[in-house]
Amino acid sequence: MRIGVLGTGTMADALGTQWARAGHELFIGGRSRPKAAALAARIGHGARAGSLREAAGFGAVTLLAVAYDGVEATLEAAGAAKGTLSGRALIDCTNAVVPGRFTLATDGGPGMAERIAARAVGARVVKAFCHCSDAVWRMTPPVFADGPLAVPLCGDDEKALAAVRTLVRDMGCVPLDAGGLERARLLESTVAFLLGFWFGGVEPRAALPPLAAQSPA
């Protein structure tokens, strides 16, 4: 699979490295070409680098992996409003979480995934890989006591979801369909909620009973 990556930070590094190891072809795009080239060199496996617009036009799948406050500038530089991402599966792994407060910067309006979909003309947005830090995605594979890590996916386009499910499985994880894109804001809120526990040194899994213990609805 050909994958364009918008961004040169830790999430681009972690996910891109895993996918390149699995045999996918990567093109790293950044506002800084030297940073993009440096990341492509670290990833190896034939990864290439260039501009954000070049990365946007590279493959059937594009990963948007930048800080939430850089999303608009990144999409603009990638030409998203002009249709450069049209027809492509656009993976949104961003978290619009206010540092230290663990609330959403998008509170009171559309979630990040919906905002991205509105700005990226024709893109098939899938919210995924937002619920864990880059350290988890660097694990080979992310498997814990209960088994492989599940990755919630929110999206409206079945073809895009199928592509992302493949990328999830290629990392040794399990895709977990979580509904349409309108449910992505619930996932984003859940991540903000969980971050408050994790940064406080509390294990949030202690609040979740096993499925078998839940009575039928």
Side-chain angles (χ1 to χ4, degrees):
M1 196 180 301
R2 287 162 59 95
I3 305 170
V5 178
L6 306 179
T8 57
T10 56
M11 288 292 284
D13 189 342
L15 294 170
T17 297
Q18 292 281 30
W19 294 334
R21 287 174 179 165
H24 299 290
E25 188 178 351
L26 265 67
F27 190 103
I28 310 299
R31 283 177 282 185
S32 165
R33 282 180 178 263
K35 286 186 178 179
L39 177 54
R42 286 200 303 275
I43 289 174
H45 300 277
R48 290 181 280 161
S51 69
L52 289 166
R53 187 176 286 264
E54 288 173 318
F58 178 72
V61 175
T62 306
L63 171 68
L64 177 61
V66 296
Y68 76 88
D69 54 359
V71 164
E72 288 196 23
T74 298
L75 290 177
E76 181 178 358
K82 298 180 180 179
T84 55
L85 293 166
S86 182
R88 307 178 198 279
L90 177 59
I91 302 173
D92 166 28
C93 69
T94 65
N95 280 313
V97 178
V98 179
R101 292 176 54 195
F102 308 112
T103 58
L104 291 179
T106 57
D107 193 26
M112 278 303 297
E114 292 169 294
R115 295 180 187 213
I116 289 166
R119 287 164 174 73
V121 174
R124 301 166 177 177
V125 178
V126 177
K127 189 79 181 189
F129 303 106
C130 63
H131 71 305
C132 294
S133 70
D134 65 290
V136 173
W137 304 125
R138 294 181 196 278
M139 297 176 67
T140 52
V143 175
F144 302 94
D146 296 334
L149 180 70
V151 181
L153 311 178
C154 295
D156 295 330
D157 186 89
E158 179 53 37
K159 185 176 179 181
L161 286 165
V164 181
R165 288 188 199 110
T166 296
L167 296 177
V168 169
R169 294 188 184 102
D170 285 347
M171 296 180 65
C173 299
V174 178
L176 182 64
D177 289 342
L181 198 64
E182 76 280 357
R183 290 181 60 83
R185 68 176 73 183
L186 300 178
L187 176 57
E188 293 165 2
S189 295
T190 300
V191 173
F193 188 70
L194 292 174
L195 283 171
F197 287 116
W198 285 325
F199 275 84
V202 177
E203 174 54 76
R205 288 166 64 92
L208 300 174
L211 178 61
Q214 296 283 45
S215 20

